[in-house]
Amino acid sequence: MKKIVLTAAFLTLGVFAMAQQNGGMMQKDPAQMEQKRAENLKKMQTDLNLTDAQVNQIKALQDKRMAERKEQAPAMQAERKAKMEAWKAKREQHMAEMKQILTPEQYQKWEAQKKEQMQNRGMKMKEMKMKKMENN
């Protein structure tokens, strides 16, 4: 069970690290996002045979949802930051406890193994991303 929790924690850390390296993958150009939204609406209109009135209602609904998300963003960021700080504290506690249990040589080897696992996960994630891009 501990291995699963640690693996999940390290994977999460790897994802955050990769997002930071990529300049925050979630941040996109507003004009690009609006263009994509318009394309999606046009596709919906064609695929679902929507009337102009329905398209306008969908736009209004999307605008409402975006406004709500924007309003909730600061609270969500604060919550996310608090969770991350708690996770970091638990991780530091775990590291300190491992350092007490293991000899200095064992601890160094253990840290090297963790670092290698993180690098392997990073490579696998890059491969998955490349495959996903190829399929689109």
Side-chain angles (χ1 to χ4, degrees):
M1 182 68 176
K2 272 188 175 180
K3 285 184 180 182
I4 293 171
V5 172
L6 284 174
T7 302
F10 290 126
L11 181 62
T12 303
L13 180 63
V15 170
F16 282 117
M18 285 178 57
Q20 290 297 324
Q21 288 175 353
N22 292 336
M25 293 186 301
M26 298 301 227
Q27 296 175 352
K28 293 185 180 178
D29 179 30
Q32 185 182 16
M33 289 174 53
E34 188 59 36
Q35 181 183 0
K36 187 74 171 174
R37 177 182 173 203
E39 289 171 5
N40 287 340
L41 277 170
K42 189 169 212 135
K43 185 175 181 343
M44 281 179 67
Q45 186 174 19
T46 304
D47 292 348
L48 301 175
N49 196 26
L50 299 176
T51 65
D52 288 339
Q54 288 174 313
V55 171
N56 289 335
Q57 288 176 328
I58 291 171
K59 280 184 187 178
L61 182 63
Q62 288 176 346
D63 289 341
K64 178 182 170 187
R65 184 170 181 225
M66 286 172 49
E68 288 172 354
R69 291 179 77 187
K70 217 175 217 183
E71 185 180 304
Q72 294 171 349
M76 289 173 59
Q77 288 173 347
E79 183 181 330
R80 205 174 293 130
K81 186 176 179 178
K83 284 181 181 181
M84 191 62 150
E85 293 300 322
W87 178 82
K88 283 181 183 179
K90 286 181 181 182
R91 182 175 178 272
E92 290 299 320
Q93 179 184 357
H94 174 75
M95 297 292 278
E97 290 174 2
M98 287 297 288
K99 201 169 195 174
Q100 288 177 345
I101 296 169
L102 301 174
T103 67
E105 296 82 22
Q106 290 170 329
Y107 186 78
Q108 281 183 327
K109 187 175 180 179
W110 179 67
E111 280 190 316
Q113 288 173 342
K114 286 192 324 178
K115 190 174 185 176
E116 185 178 337
Q117 287 174 345
M118 289 291 287
Q119 289 173 342
N120 290 341
R121 282 190 196 104
M123 294 299 289
K124 285 181 183 178
M125 290 183 79
K126 284 181 183 178
E127 289 173 10
M128 288 172 46
K129 185 177 181 181
M130 293 301 289
K131 285 181 184 178
K132 185 177 180 182
M133 289 174 67
E134 288 173 2
N135 291 338
N136 289 337

